[in-house]
Amino acid sequence: MFKQSCTNLKKLPKQRVRKWLGGIETIIFDADGVLWSFGEAIKGSVDTFNLIRSLGRNTFVATNNSEALTETLVKKALGFGYELKEQELISSSMSIANFLASRQFQKKVYVIGEQGVADELAKVGICSEFKIKDELTVPSKQFAAEMEIDEDVGAVVVAKDDNFSVAKIIRACNYLQNPKTLFLATCVDASYPIGVGNRIIVGAAAMLAAVQAICKRKPLILGKPNPLMAAELLQCGVIKPETTLMVGDTLHTDIAFGCNCGFHTMLVGTGVSSLKEAQALIEDDDDKKKNMIPDTYLPSVCDLQEFLC
């Protein structure tokens, strides 16, 4: 309906928007920057999310957050007041675990990341080298020469890691010297706003760039925007692309994910990307960026309420 236009729904007649939304059976929300920001729900998002559910729409949450188990993220959502079931949340770490399980992966995984990645792998019976506390207490040359290499490691996963270090880069890159070792990552989010002025924190893309620059290998990204993240929902017919809306705050992950899956897409202005950035993509001649153009825009998720009556 709105393709390649980034239509601001607030500037359209309400009846036209309501008619369009009437054909949407499923809404998938990003979490951070759309429903909540760190330890606080975004204003009006809880009521909007629950209203959509009460109207009989399917609701899901798709997040690149790999810091915790899906069960823990669902508990976080429930704590804010969102009516969300465990099977309605998909994460990048869960996507990696499912990918390896589907390949009947039998080896170990070296993880640069947080506990959530290791825990999701453990749920599907995959052992991870996660608790190795790599720190450079000696010169890097000595560390590389003396570190033990586990020959049973068959994959390296890179995710956001608050304890990222040169030692972890060295270990990961040495495992990746073996071309048979899988190179996987959760996402390409470079940074996240923290809601304090213009301050940001570092995302997984920074860790990934360091490893990739050294090993000269391209990782398989299994979080958004990879459509594999929604493959199970699509294959079993739980959702249909033509009646599904993806709502996100980041153009190169959320919106590209929605486009790659064939969903309708909506950008909200409560997180990483802005309407101005989205409009600039329309004028950009780079065809590779066209999948980041959202169909629609609203300042916040809560603005959906006026079109849902």
Side-chain angles (χ1 to χ4, degrees):
M1 178 181 177
F2 307 106
K3 200 63 187 171
Q4 303 297 303
S5 62
C6 191
T7 303
N8 188 337
L9 296 185
K10 279 188 164 290
K11 295 185 178 181
L12 293 181
K14 287 186 179 180
Q15 281 304 116
R16 184 185 174 194
V17 180
R18 286 173 180 167
K19 182 179 179 180
W20 169 64
L21 278 175
I24 299 297
E25 298 175 352
T26 301
I27 301 182
I28 303 176
F29 298 87
D30 176 40
D32 298 279
V34 175
L35 297 178
W36 60 74
S37 180
F38 294 94
E40 186 176 349
I42 291 173
K43 185 178 180 181
S45 63
V46 174
D47 290 340
T48 305
F49 185 91
N50 294 341
L51 172 62
I52 291 169
R53 288 183 68 93
S54 72
L55 293 173
R57 313 289 176 88
N58 298 319
T59 52
F60 292 90
V61 174
T63 177
N64 278 346
N65 188 324
S66 61
E67 295 178 3
L69 272 170
T70 50
E71 297 97 303
T72 304
L73 294 173
V74 170
K75 287 179 182 178
K76 180 178 181 177
L78 293 172
F80 289 135
Y82 300 100
E83 296 173 8
L84 183 69
K85 298 176 182 177
E86 188 174 322
Q87 63 268 29
E88 294 169 338
L89 186 142
I90 52 179
S91 70
S92 57
S93 53
M94 182 174 71
S95 182
I96 284 177
N98 289 342
F99 171 80
L100 290 173
S102 70
R103 294 172 65 102
Q104 298 183 325
F105 185 81
Q106 299 294 323
K107 293 196 169 188
K108 295 179 183 178
V109 179
Y110 177 64
V111 176
I112 292 178
E114 305 293 346
Q115 187 71 46
V117 180
D119 289 344
E120 288 292 347
L121 290 171
K123 279 172 60 179
V124 296
I126 296 174
C127 179
S128 64
E129 294 290 335
F130 169 71
K131 294 185 178 180
I132 297 175
K133 301 301 180 184
D134 280 330
E135 296 180 355
L136 280 185
T137 56
V138 296
S140 58
K141 180 180 178 181
Q142 182 180 346
F143 175 84
E146 295 176 352
M147 72 177 179
E148 294 184 13
I149 294 292
D150 190 337
E151 299 297 332
D152 199 32
V153 169
V156 170
V157 171
V158 179
K160 177 181 174 295
D161 188 339
D162 283 346
N163 295 305
F164 190 59
S165 67
V166 170
K168 289 184 177 182
I169 298 173
I170 293 172
R171 187 178 294 277
C173 290
N174 275 281
Y175 281 129
L176 290 168
Q177 293 279 76
N178 182 349
K180 293 183 179 180
T181 301
L182 299 175
F183 185 16
L184 311 175
T186 54
C187 64
V188 289
D189 294 295
S191 62
Y192 306 97
I194 63 171
V196 180
N198 292 320
R199 298 183 183 185
I200 58 174
I201 60 172
V202 178
M207 294 80 183
L208 187 58
V211 176
Q212 191 174 354
I214 297 169
C215 71
K216 301 294 191 297
R217 289 180 57 180
K218 187 177 181 179
L220 175 60
I221 311 296
L222 285 166
K224 295 175 292 186
N226 193 329
L228 275 175
M229 199 167 174
E232 187 175 339
L233 294 174
L234 289 165
Q235 289 168 2
C236 65
V238 172
I239 60 176
K240 301 173 183 178
E242 64 273 16
T243 58
T244 298
L245 172 65
M246 176 67 208
V247 181
D249 70 302
T250 308
L251 296 172
H252 67 275
T253 55
D254 302 324
I255 303 305
F257 169 70
C259 184
N260 292 342
C261 291
F263 303 153
H264 300 267
T265 55
M266 177 183 291
L267 176 71
V268 292
T270 50
V272 175
S273 302
S274 67
L275 177 59
K276 184 178 180 181
E277 290 173 299
Q279 291 171 331
L281 289 175
I282 299 173
E283 307 299 325
D284 199 306
D285 293 330
D286 189 349
D287 288 338
K288 293 181 180 180
K289 297 180 180 179
K290 296 303 180 185
N291 71 335
M292 297 192 297
I293 300 174
D295 299 322
T296 57
Y297 170 83
L298 280 175
S300 175
V301 162
C302 69
D303 292 304
L304 272 171
Q305 286 198 44
E306 64 181 285
F307 305 112
L308 291 170
C309 298

